[in-house]
Structures are given as C-alpha cells and as structure tokens.
Amino acid sequence: MLAPELLEVLGCPLEDARPPFSIETGYLVCSVCGFGFAIVDGIPHLLPDDAIDPGRLRELLHGT
C-alpha cells in the first residue's frame, strides 16, 4: 500500500497538468484520462510505457 503522503504528490505522467490518482486494487488510476499504472511490491510503475489503457484496466480489475 502507498503512503497517503506519496499519493498526494504523484500525478499522471500522461497528462501535462499531472492530475491526481485514485487507488484501485493494485493500480493507480488517473482521474482524467483513466489510464492505470501497476503498483508492484509497493512501487508504482509510472513510466508512460507502463500505462494500461482504460479498457484493459477494466478487464484486469473487473474481468469484463
């Protein structure tokens, strides 16, 4: 789990305004574009190449 203080300073690397994330079952999810980034062993993978598109993220989170 990420510390709340860390979550407050992280922002989506795909958006110029660096909008905040929400946490959903092991992923950080951008509040604007909906792309997700995996949290592996407590470390968020925030490189643009690691971004998971919203459709694939829904499949991973909800199996749909």
Side-chain angles (χ1 to χ4, degrees):
M1 193 61 158
L2 294 177
E5 301 84 29
L6 180 59
L7 188 59
E8 289 178 14
V9 298
L10 294 177
C12 180
L14 301 178
E15 298 287 333
D16 290 336
R18 300 288 191 259
F21 288 113
S22 62
I23 295 180
E24 293 190 35
T25 316
Y27 296 92
L28 293 176
V29 181
C30 176
S31 62
V32 173
C33 68
F35 274 79
F37 298 86
I39 302 169
V40 179
D41 294 328
I43 300 169
H45 290 222
L46 294 175
L47 294 175
D49 288 344
D50 295 330
I52 303 166
D53 73 77
R56 176 70 179 131
L57 186 61
R58 268 192 304 279
E59 290 174 6
L60 292 169
L61 290 172
H62 307 292
T64 58

